[in-house]
């Protein structure tokens, strides 16, 4: 891994979505990790703190909004989070933003939207941190 290669964590319970997102983002030069649920994600974050997280809203056990809320309340939101969902409502998107999500994108994901959202979130977080 190069010193300035950004780490992106993808959290989604659908293996096809995780795989497609990893493939696209890896081709764009990012180091990617994928988790199928909140527990797996927490383990990855401990060992490989991400620069950006894509977080699915609807997942079994702990959903994305609950996980985002947990990070926010524990002051562990040290990275931008982009929420992803194919079934979310405007209210859900507003709630996610209120809890600290950087952006919200809908499934099916377009390659362009995925890449542009990553670039935007990472450049914004550099500005905020710097």
């Amino acid at each position: 891994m190069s010193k300035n290669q950004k780490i992106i964590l993808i959290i989604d319970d659908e293996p096809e979505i995780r795989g497609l997102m990893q493939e696209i983002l890896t081709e764009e030069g990012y180091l990617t990790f994928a988790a199928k649920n909140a527990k797996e994600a927490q383990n990855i974050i401990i060992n490989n703190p991400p620069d950006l997280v894509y977080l699915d809203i609807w997942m079994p056990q702990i959903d994305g909004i609950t996980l985002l809320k947990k990070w926010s309340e524990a002051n562990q939101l040290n990275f931008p989070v982009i929420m992803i969902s194919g079934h979310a409502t405007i209210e859900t998107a507003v709630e996610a933003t209120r809890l600290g999500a950087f952006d919200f994108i809908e499934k099916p994901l377009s390659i362009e939207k995925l890449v542009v959202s990553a670039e935007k979130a990472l450049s914004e977080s550099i500005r905020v941190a710097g």
Side-chain angles (χ1 to χ4, degrees):
M1 176 176 87
S2 73
K3 225 163 66 169
N4 53 5
Q5 188 176 29
K6 299 294 183 189
I7 298 173
I8 297 179
L9 172 59
I10 301 154
I11 309 166
D12 195 305
D13 60 318
E14 297 178 60
E16 302 81 24
I17 300 284
R18 284 194 315 270
L20 179 63
M21 290 177 71
Q22 269 196 291
E23 187 179 315
I24 292 165
L25 294 167
T26 300
E27 283 179 16
E28 290 296 318
Y30 299 108
L31 178 63
T32 61
F33 290 91
K36 65 180 178 238
N37 57 40
K39 184 178 180 181
E40 223 176 73
Q42 290 293 87
N43 290 333
I44 292 171
I45 288 170
I46 290 167
N47 297 313
N48 298 287
D51 296 297
L52 171 62
V53 171
Y54 281 95
L55 178 57
D56 187 22
I57 290 180
W58 302 111
M59 296 186 298
Q61 288 110 24
I62 300 172
D63 65 76
I65 295 289
T66 302
L67 185 56
L68 180 64
K69 187 174 185 177
K70 181 180 172 184
W71 287 336
S72 184
E73 289 173 350
N75 206 21
Q76 294 176 324
L77 205 51
N78 306 322
F79 38 78
V81 175
I82 298 174
M83 304 302 290
I84 52 176
S85 180
H87 313 288
T89 61
I90 296 294
E91 291 81 15
T92 309
V94 168
E95 173 73 358
T97 305
R98 190 183 67 73
L99 291 169
F102 178 81
D103 199 0
F104 177 90
I105 56 176
E106 291 181 280
K107 295 177 186 176
L109 303 169
S110 81
I111 293 172
E112 183 181 357
K113 180 74 173 163
L114 185 65
V115 172
V116 168
S117 67
E119 289 170 354
K120 187 175 176 188
L122 290 166
S123 71
E124 287 286 321
S125 69
I126 289 168
R127 245 184 284 157
V128 170

